[in-house]
Amino acid sequence: GQNIDQPTEMTATEGAIVQINCTYQTSGFNGLFWYQQHAGEAPTFLSYNVLDGLEEKGRFSSFLSRSKGYSYLLLKELQMKDSASYLCAVRDLSRRGGSQGNLIFGKGTKLSVKP
Amino acid sequence: DTAVSQTPKYLVTQMGNDKSIKCEQNLGHDTMYWYKQDSKKFLKIMFSYNNKELIINETVPNRFSPKSPDKAHLNLHINSLELGDSAVYFCASSQARTSGVWGPDTQYFGPGTRLTVL
């Protein structure tokens, strides 16, 4: 089976840095995704990690350690528009779907950015 | 030039009715999906489908059936709607191969359909 854990809620201040952690247990790991979802909108793709290390994309970075079953999403220079839910999703080869396994989502972390 | 579109955006209906939600993608992707997001915002896969294979999540009731008239469309038909079917339903699509190389198979989501069953 699989289990994905991330904090339910976080609060941070505009201009600050915040790190959202995600731990996972899965039998057929084949990549980890981070999605951003604003209230009432669709999830939008932020980042993808399949090898250990840090992937940087502007203000957002994502880190993966496969041996620890751990990832984090780092948001720098926070802006009010970053207030959203952040979804960690693991692709699991043991769950067939698409061509490379199904995406299994965590329950999301609701981030509130305050002035 | 919306990449993944869904209709309708809102759907309010009575228990016991049959309804359909349509999804279209213009990205040329080979795989499409349906997800259900419940009131607690938990996003769960229902189906994945490409022109060769339909994969059904074992927890999905057989009242739900995906129908694909062609590669760019995957509609969701729901029979005998129940109160517990109220949720937001998202369609998504992905492309496994890009120029002959396996890609991350990133999924791109439609805007969602909010279904309310009364």
Side-chain angles (χ1 to χ4, degrees):
Chain A
Q2 57 277 317
N3 190 34
I4 300 174
D5 288 314
Q6 46 181 134
T8 304
E9 292 185 57
M10 297 182 72
T11 302
T13 305
E14 196 175 13
I17 299 173
V18 71
Q19 177 173 311
I20 303 174
N21 296 324
C22 172
T23 58
Y24 64 88
Q25 293 175 315
T26 185
S27 49
F29 178 81
N30 190 29
L32 186 144
F33 294 77
W34 284 95
Y35 280 82
Q36 180 191 60
Q37 186 177 24
H38 285 99
E41 297 184 12
T44 55
F45 169 72
L46 286 179
S47 69
Y48 168 73
N49 296 71
V50 67
L51 299 176
D52 291 350
L54 189 68
E55 294 283 340
E56 296 187 78
K57 248 189 198 182
R59 294 190 299 115
F60 293 2
S61 304
S62 57
F63 172 83
L64 176 67
S65 168
R66 289 171 296 171
S67 61
K68 296 181 179 177
Y70 167 69
S71 173
Y72 67 72
L73 179 69
L74 192 71
L75 293 77
K76 302 176 188 175
E77 300 169 18
L78 279 172
Q79 302 175 9
M80 299 298 290
K81 68 178 182 179
D82 297 329
S83 293
S85 287
Y86 291 86
L87 310 177
C88 174
V90 171
R91 190 161 59 208
D92 187 349
L93 277 176
S94 67
R95 290 297 193 111
R96 291 181 308 129
S99 57
Q100 299 178 61
N102 262 342
L103 275 190
I104 310 300
F105 281 84
K107 294 187 177 181
T109 299
K110 185 176 179 182
L111 174 66
S112 299
V113 179
K114 306 212 179 287
Chain B
D1 57 345
T2 305
V4 183
S5 59
Q6 294 177 228
T7 54
K9 190 167 175 61
Y10 300 96
L11 183 55
V12 181
T13 188
Q14 300 287 332
M15 245 182 356
N17 284 349
D18 302 339
K19 290 293 178 185
S20 292
I21 306 172
K22 295 185 178 180
C23 177
E24 177 182 1
Q25 54 96 4
N26 62 8
L27 297 167
H29 286 170
D30 61 4
T31 306
M32 296 182 73
Y33 311 81
W34 277 105
Y35 286 86
K36 179 181 180 180
Q37 189 169 44
D38 60 25
S39 56
K40 296 182 180 177
K41 308 301 181 188
F42 187 31
L43 194 62
K44 194 167 183 181
I45 184 77
M46 299 176 70
F47 304 100
S48 64
Y49 181 80
N50 63 27
N51 58 5
K52 297 178 183 176
E53 196 174 23
L54 171 65
I55 308 296
I56 303 171
N57 185 313
E58 60 272 12
T59 66
V60 176
N62 58 13
R63 298 181 294 105
F64 289 78
S65 56
K67 298 187 191 305
S68 180
D70 56 58
K71 188 178 167 183
H73 296 83
L74 184 67
N75 303 325
L76 181 65
H77 191 75
I78 315 169
N79 288 329
S80 303
L81 277 156
E82 300 177 358
L83 292 176
D85 298 333
S86 295
V88 181
Y89 292 84
F90 286 101
C91 176
S93 71
S94 69
Q95 179 67 43
R97 277 187 185 267
T98 303
S99 301
V101 177
W102 287 108
D105 201 17
T106 302
Q107 294 183 22
Y108 294 89
F109 285 78
T113 296
R114 182 174 292 277
L115 172 65
T116 303
V117 182
L118 303 175

